[in-house]
Amino acid sequence: MLRRLWPKTDLRTLITLLAIASIVITLANTLYATWRVQRGLLINTTLESNRVYATKLAATTEIFFQLAQSQLAYSANVLSSGLDNENSLQQEVDRLREQTDSFNSVVIVDADGWVRSISPESMMLQGMRLTTSTSRQALAERKPMISQPGISAANNLMVFISTPIWSKTGRYLGYVGGTLYLKKKSILNALLGEQYYRDGSSLYVVDKQNQVLYHQDSKLIGKTIAPLVADEVKNLRPNGYLEISAQNGEPMLAGYATVPTSDWMIVALKPTQTTLQPLTSLLLQVLKNSVPFALLTLIAAWILARLIALPLWQLARKASQMDTQGVSKEINGIRSWYFEAAQIKRAMLAGIGILQDKIGRLKFEVQTDPLTRLLNRRGLSAVLEYFLTTRQPFAVLALDIDHFKRVNDTFGHDVGDEVIIRIARELEESSRQTDVVCRNGGEEFLMILPGADSETALSIADRVRLQVVQTEIPAVGRMSVSVGVALWQPDKESMEEVFKLADEALYQAKKAGRNCVILAGKQQPQLTEPARLHG
């Protein structure tokens, strides 16, 4: 079926289909490129935004810890005179808790672990001995510290910030500390605040054991989760961003930053799918804006295809009527407004003339040289008559085998014939498909190069010369040729004059030492290379 329909497809349809395919491919490529660029832009922008947000929160938290430790250090200095005045101790812990809301509770503990004062007093811990891990750690280390999350004596999940109390004589008196509750209202929650995203994003604060210290979902606080950022990545860069998978496998865009004082890590997450949601509407906008221009381009292509195809369609109709009377006049009446159609029209007119007047008289036997199977002078005349009719410019190469008489005298005419045959083959192999090679008689050859300018003709001539000189011929060795080059233009010299110029250039090549190429009107060899001959 396809074979029966394909020949009926005309040029206008093909051009229109090509235009449609080009528009569709271009539009698809534009959409794909836009998708790739915008996708990368959205992801990179979100990653950077998450990094900046996490870094900002980490910096704020770091400042809070430094201020909290500074407040505790001030109190420790005030308390350095001793822990005997209970009223003074109570006033100090109340001041610490109520002045800045930095702590959920404040406690003063002596060197033996006994609670000397606590605020709020409702906690009912005064006079008790603290045995929690955070208390023991503060007593043992005797330095400012931020504890790991733990359970307080009042059964609250908290972080404990403490500073040692030293007497003026350097004796360790105990410590003053404040708690931050992780599951209740605290300044930490106020600092981290409500996540400013409202699109499925989340914020994690985890310690170095990956225990969750803050999250919008309070059920996660206190639980240990899989590492959100690998340790090697965190150690390499204290803040940055990367693409990760959430606990449920959902792709997420993460920005992270560390809090140096506490070695906490803050991670801001946003689902990749949420980030890319605007991409669909963006592509629709691109498509909406592109379609009208694509339709206008298609209409213009259809009109242009019709204009281009019309003369070719008319010429194609006449091609099936080339044997009818008066077809040449009808072809002449076709308006061929562009170069290719004009050339086809000219070729058809020339073909009609040749078919009707000359083609029938051309026979292979009378046009071919029997030794080399190349065209002879008669065949060359038919070719030249065609070029003259079609006004096709060409270049002429006149070639002559150097020292051929010496070959005949030394090795005999049979070997001489083999040399001519071999060189004829080399000329054919070195020529283009459209070139015409013929034997002009004896050791002389002609090559006709349709449409060749001087540069192309010289290049082909030198290629032929090199091909011959590099060919090893049995019993003789290597031979060479001299080449004369001339150009024929329809509106300049006659063909006879051009062939005469080629012969004169060949004579100059012989005179210049043989094995070289001379362009008519030039005295010096063109594109030559020295060659060593043997035999």
Side-chain angles (χ1 to χ4, degrees):
M1 176 66 70
L2 181 60
R3 292 182 178 179
R4 291 199 300 269
L5 292 177
W6 181 256
K8 297 180 181 180
T9 305
D10 55 21
L11 182 62
R12 180 174 63 186
T13 303
L14 291 176
I15 295 176
T16 303
L17 291 175
L18 179 61
I20 293 174
S22 300
I23 292 170
V24 171
I25 292 173
T26 301
L27 186 58
N29 183 66
T30 300
L31 291 175
Y32 177 71
T34 302
W35 177 82
R36 287 290 301 271
V37 171
Q38 293 299 325
R39 183 181 188 276
L41 184 62
L42 288 171
I43 288 177
N44 291 336
T45 301
T46 301
L47 286 171
E48 179 62 16
S49 297
N50 285 348
R51 184 196 69 81
V52 170
Y53 184 63
T55 302
K56 179 181 177 181
L57 290 180
T60 303
T61 305
E62 175 70 12
I63 292 172
F64 162 73
F65 282 135
Q66 291 176 359
L67 290 175
Q69 289 180 327
S70 176
Q71 293 172 17
L72 292 173
Y74 177 81
S75 291
N77 185 55
V78 170
L79 298 171
S80 63
S81 58
L83 305 180
D84 298 327
N85 191 331
E86 292 185 2
N87 290 332
S88 297
L89 296 182
Q90 189 62 43
Q91 289 177 1
E92 185 62 24
V93 292
D94 288 339
R95 182 191 66 81
L96 270 176
R97 185 177 67 86
E98 296 173 359
Q99 184 176 14
T100 61
D101 291 332
S102 296
F103 307 106
N104 290 95
S105 64
V106 179
V107 65
I108 296 175
V109 179
D110 64 18
D112 295 322
W114 295 95
V115 177
R116 302 301 298 273
S117 187
I118 188 168
S119 179
E121 295 182 77
S122 59
M123 295 185 70
M124 306 297 291
L125 294 177
Q126 187 164 343
M128 296 179 61
R129 190 173 188 178
L130 296 181
T131 58
T132 61
S133 60
T134 55
S135 178
R136 291 197 302 269
Q137 183 183 6
L139 291 172
E141 295 188 6
R142 298 184 177 184
K143 64 180 182 180
M145 58 164 280
I146 300 174
S147 73
Q148 295 298 317
I151 302 298
S152 69
N155 201 31
N156 288 314
L157 181 65
M158 57 85 184
V159 172
F160 189 62
I161 306 173
S162 64
T163 296
I165 304 173
W166 299 92
S167 71
K168 297 185 183 300
T169 60
R171 184 169 63 89
Y172 180 67
L173 301 179
Y175 65 83
V176 57
T179 60
L180 293 175
Y181 294 159
L182 298 180
K183 288 190 175 183
K184 294 183 179 181
K185 183 179 180 181
S186 68
I187 193 169
L188 180 63
N189 300 78
L191 285 174
L192 297 175
E194 289 295 326
Q195 176 76 338
Y196 70 94
Y197 297 114
R198 303 298 178 192
D199 49 13
S201 299
S202 57
L203 183 71
Y204 283 86
V205 179
V206 295
D207 63 10
K208 57 186 178 181
Q209 277 77 40
N210 293 305
Q211 185 176 6
V212 178
L213 308 179
Y214 175 82
H215 190 269
Q216 290 93 325
D217 184 0
S218 60
K219 295 179 182 178
L220 290 176
I221 296 176
K223 293 185 177 180
T224 300
I225 61 173
L228 296 173
V229 179
D231 289 338
E232 54 269 22
V233 176
K234 182 176 66 173
N235 294 335
L236 184 64
R237 294 184 61 187
N239 65 76
Y241 55 75
L242 69 165
E243 297 184 46
I244 64 173
S245 295
Q247 304 291 326
N248 59 2
E250 181 184 9
M252 303 289 283
L253 304 176
Y256 67 91
T258 56
V259 182
T261 300
S262 60
D263 202 20
W264 293 358
M265 184 171 65
I266 298 176
V267 184
L269 297 175
K270 184 175 183 179
T272 303
Q273 183 178 1
T274 302
T275 301
L276 298 179
Q277 279 181 352
L279 197 56
T280 302
S281 60
L282 178 64
L283 291 180
L284 290 176
Q285 287 295 325
V286 172
L287 186 63
K288 180 180 178 181
N289 292 327
S290 300
V291 167
F293 293 100
L295 292 177
L296 290 176
T297 303
L298 182 59
I299 293 172
W302 181 82
I303 295 173
L304 186 60
R306 189 175 186 280
L307 292 175
I308 292 174
L310 182 60
L312 296 179
W313 178 77
Q314 293 172 331
L315 289 172
R317 286 188 61 192
K318 298 304 176 186
S320 61
Q321 305 171 6
M322 291 180 66
D323 56 345
T324 60
Q325 191 72 20
V327 70
S328 296
K329 184 177 180 181
E330 294 178 5
I331 291 176
N332 264 322
I334 296 175
R335 181 175 175 270
S336 302
W337 58 274
Y338 55 93
F339 176 77
E340 287 77 6
Q343 289 295 96
I344 294 174
K345 176 181 175 179
R346 183 179 300 169
M348 288 181 65
L349 291 172
I352 290 172
I354 294 173
L355 282 173
Q356 292 178 349
D357 301 327
K358 301 296 181 181
I359 294 299
R361 297 184 287 112
L362 296 179
K363 300 295 181 181
F364 178 81
E365 293 78 11
V366 299
Q367 290 182 331
T368 306
D369 174 63
L371 178 63
T372 62
R373 311 304 294 173
L374 299 177
L375 290 179
N376 56 20
R377 290 184 179 180
R378 187 187 297 273
L380 177 63
S381 296
V383 172
L384 295 178
E385 187 172 351
Y386 172 80
F387 286 150
L388 182 62
T389 303
T390 59
R391 302 179 66 79
Q392 169 72 50
F394 60 83
V396 180
L397 305 187
L399 307 96
D400 186 270
I401 303 174
D402 297 330
H403 304 296
F404 182 76
K405 184 175 183 303
R406 186 186 305 169
V407 173
N408 277 338
D409 293 342
T410 304
F411 301 99
H413 290 282
D414 289 342
V415 174
D417 288 345
E418 289 299 321
V419 170
I420 290 175
I421 294 172
R422 184 61 181 272
I423 290 181
R425 297 290 80 78
E426 298 301 328
L427 297 183
E428 285 185 311
E429 292 177 5
S430 302
S431 63
R432 303 174 303 178
Q433 187 175 2
T434 56
D435 296 339
V436 179
V437 183
C438 65
R439 185 183 179 193
N440 198 32
E443 68 271 24
E444 297 181 4
F445 297 87
L446 289 172
M447 291 181 67
I448 309 299
L449 313 179
D453 55 17
S454 59
E455 183 179 354
T456 303
L458 289 172
S459 176
I460 295 174
D462 201 61
R463 185 172 69 201
V464 169
R465 179 190 66 78
L466 288 174
Q467 181 73 16
V468 171
V469 81
Q470 292 171 2
T471 300
E472 190 76 23
I473 301 177
V476 177
R478 296 186 179 182
M479 301 293 293
S480 66
V481 294
S482 299
V483 187
V485 181
L487 303 176
W488 180 74
Q489 298 291 338
D491 300 322
K492 295 183 179 180
E493 304 92 352
S494 66
M495 287 188 177
E496 291 77 13
E497 291 173 339
V498 170
F499 279 93
K500 183 177 180 180
L501 290 173
D503 285 333
E504 290 174 359
L506 174 60
Y507 175 77
Q508 292 294 330
K510 291 286 188 181
K511 191 175 179 181
R514 298 180 172 83
N515 188 28
C516 63
V517 178
I518 294 289
L519 177 64
K522 306 289 184 180
Q523 299 299 320
Q524 298 297 326
Q526 309 289 313
L527 301 170
T528 61
E529 293 182 5
R532 183 177 298 172
L533 305 180
H534 304 279

